[in-house]
């Protein structure tokens, strides 16, 4: 097969990944756990070509520079695995609204890992796909997996991958506070954290503890405990990031206002817990039966979108790829 299309969704971590022990292999300093979403998909087609170089289109526009280099380095890795040398045309679309801060490298590299591995003739099982996606972007390891995914930190390439974890059903409300591009990328901010934060060793050891507690809470179907760990771990990550030199602060005043509002809602019987990634937008977990009330309660802070647990990375038929608007859908 010389062409393949795949779709994957972003994920939001409840126990965060922040820091690498190996930059080349993208091995994290600690494990993490996330919810793969059912919205904001990335759809990607990979077609092998006789051209002398790879090319990468996003939303129909040719991409150059560092983003294109990252795709080429990733394809080099797939070619190594497959023992192949042909270049590829990569055509990708995001369902996340442009500039909404929701288009994610996790969905992008998860979809690319599946489409590229198939186009180059590899049939990888889920752990192997997760390992491959991790080489593009750490959090992509988790977007291979549906629903709740635990990424095992591991100690080498073989042992660092994500797998599914049983957990109670939940929903998430995502409140968009700002659509501006972040000033410091996650990758760069992780480097700065490792190099300069006095709290980094405590972060590493406490994240493994939080993860163990979170896995227990998921097994016990204890939503309250899952929520408590989610919110405190998010605030710890932001405290860590703020402790860099020079400091980095991703949360905006409006983000803090939402953390406060969520706490107040809990006092009124609407049980929800907030988290935030490397940006000002806030994701709030809630039980399914209170999800719409939560969305309505948070709408005053910005566009509030209700999402649920989504599928793992999946291959698409030709017709599905064409519907996603890919200009190079397989014929
Ligand atoms: C996470 N984030 O667990 C954390 C929380 C952002 C904040 O994973 O360098 O884009 O490509 O491995 O995966 C963002 O980091 O970083 C991230 P790389 P990635 O979701």
């Amino acid at each position: 097969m010389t062409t393949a299309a795949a779709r994957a969704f972003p994920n939001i971590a409840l126990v965060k990944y922040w820091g690498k022990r190996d930059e080349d292999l993208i091995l994290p300093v600690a494990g993490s756990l996330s919810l793969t979403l059912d919205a904001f998909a990335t759809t990607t087609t990979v077609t092998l070509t006789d051209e002398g170089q790879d090319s990468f289109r996003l939303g129909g526009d040719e991409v150059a520079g560092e983003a294109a280099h990252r795709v080429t380095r990733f394809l080099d890795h797939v070619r190594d695995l497959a023992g192949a040398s042909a270049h590829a045309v990569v055509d990708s679309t995001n369902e996340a609204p442009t500039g909404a801060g929701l288009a994610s490298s996790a969905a992008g590299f998860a979809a690319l890992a599946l489409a590229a591995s198939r186009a180059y003739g590899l049939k990888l099982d889920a752990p192997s796909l997760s390992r491959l996606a991790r080489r593009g972007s750490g959090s992509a390891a988790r977007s291979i997996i549906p629903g709740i995914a635990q990424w095992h930190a591991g100690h080498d390439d073989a042992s660092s991958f994500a797998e599914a974890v049983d957990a109670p059903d939940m929903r998430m409300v995502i409140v968009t506070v700002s659509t501006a591009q972040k000033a410091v990328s996650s990758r760069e901010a992780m480097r700065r954290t490792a190099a300069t934060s006095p709290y980094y060793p405590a972060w590493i050891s406490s994240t493994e503890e939080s993860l163990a507690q979170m896995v227990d809470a998921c097994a016990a179907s204890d939503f309250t405990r899952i929520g408590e760990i989610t919110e405190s771990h998010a605030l710890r990550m932001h405290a860590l990031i703020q402790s860099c030199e020079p400091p980095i602060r991703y949360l905006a005043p409006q983000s803090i206002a939402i953390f406060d509002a969520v706490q107040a809602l809990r006092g009124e019987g609407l049980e929800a817990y907030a988290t935030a990634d490397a940006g000002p937008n806030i994701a709030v977990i809630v039980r399914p039966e209170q999800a719409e009330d939560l969305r309505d309660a948070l709408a005053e802070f910005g566009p509030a979108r209700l999402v649920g647990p989504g599928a793992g990375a999946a291959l698409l038929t030709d017709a599905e790829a064409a519907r996603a608007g890919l200009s190079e859908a397989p014929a």
Side-chain angles (χ1 to χ4, degrees):
M1 185 189 236
T2 56
T3 183
R7 184 186 65 189
F9 295 97
N11 66 77
I12 302 283
L14 309 183
V15 173
K16 305 292 190 189
Y17 150 52
W18 196 260
K20 300 178 181 71
R21 59 185 276 174
D22 185 316
E23 286 252 351
D24 181 41
L25 292 174
I26 311 199
L27 301 179
V29 289
S32 56
L33 182 142
S34 61
L35 177 69
T36 298
L37 308 183
D38 64 354
F40 312 123
T42 295
T43 303
T44 296
T45 295
V46 175
T47 306
L48 304 197
T49 173
D50 294 334
E51 298 291 316
Q53 59 183 21
D54 299 318
S55 61
F56 174 37
R57 274 197 301 263
L58 185 58
D61 298 325
E62 199 73 31
V63 177
E66 177 50 27
H69 282 136
R70 241 174 114 174
V71 168
T72 292
R73 282 198 302 273
F74 186 80
L75 291 172
D76 285 341
H77 183 58
V78 178
R79 285 187 278 260
D80 277 353
L81 286 176
S85 57
H87 290 98
V89 176
V90 176
D91 198 357
S92 212
T93 59
N94 277 324
E95 281 172 27
T98 310
L102 295 163
S104 102
S105 63
F109 279 102
L112 181 60
L114 180 52
S117 60
R118 283 302 178 110
Y120 280 99
L122 296 168
K123 278 200 169 180
L124 302 179
D125 60 13
S128 300
L129 260 183
S130 176
R131 287 184 197 102
L132 174 59
R134 192 198 77 229
R135 302 291 294 267
S137 191
S139 53
R142 300 184 310 233
S143 276
I144 296 296
I145 309 299
I148 300 282
Q150 180 183 358
W151 175 13
H152 304 286
H155 55 272
D156 59 8
D157 181 55
S159 56
S160 188
F161 61 92
E163 62 185 354
V165 166
D166 282 336
D169 193 18
M170 65 181 89
R171 299 288 180 272
M172 187 175 265
V173 174
I174 298 177
V175 186
T176 303
V177 167
S178 167
T179 58
Q181 190 83 8
K182 59 187 150 206
V184 186
S185 72
S186 298
R187 197 163 276 197
E188 179 53 33
M190 284 186 202
R191 285 192 192 113
R192 194 184 299 177
T193 306
T196 68
S197 172
Y199 305 152
Y200 195 53
W203 163 258
I204 296 170
S205 57
S206 69
T207 295
E208 283 294 359
E209 278 169 34
S210 298
L211 180 62
Q213 291 163 2
M214 179 63 95
V215 169
D216 287 348
C218 287
S221 215
D222 185 343
F223 178 76
T224 297
R225 190 72 193 118
I226 290 169
E228 288 168 351
I229 298 165
T230 295
E231 198 167 292
S232 67
H233 196 260
L235 291 170
R236 278 186 191 176
M237 182 189 76
H238 286 278
L240 173 79
I241 294 169
Q242 289 181 50
S243 74
C244 289
E245 193 56 46
I248 301 167
R249 183 169 57 81
Y250 286 120
L251 298 178
Q254 182 83 336
S255 318
I256 304 290
I258 297 170
F259 271 91
D260 286 350
V262 168
Q263 189 179 29
L265 288 169
R266 284 201 294 273
E268 297 163 16
L270 206 174
E271 194 181 4
Y273 300 89
T275 184
D277 283 340
N281 300 325
I282 303 293
V284 187
I285 58 168
V286 63
R287 288 193 175 92
E289 58 271 24
Q290 293 193 305
E292 288 178 7
D293 288 347
L294 179 70
R295 179 194 54 204
D296 295 347
L298 295 179
E300 66 175 286
F301 295 98
R305 168 91 182 247
L306 175 55
V307 298
L315 287 168
L316 297 184
T317 63
D318 299 356
E320 287 168 332
R323 271 201 297 280
L326 292 168
S327 52
E328 285 273 320

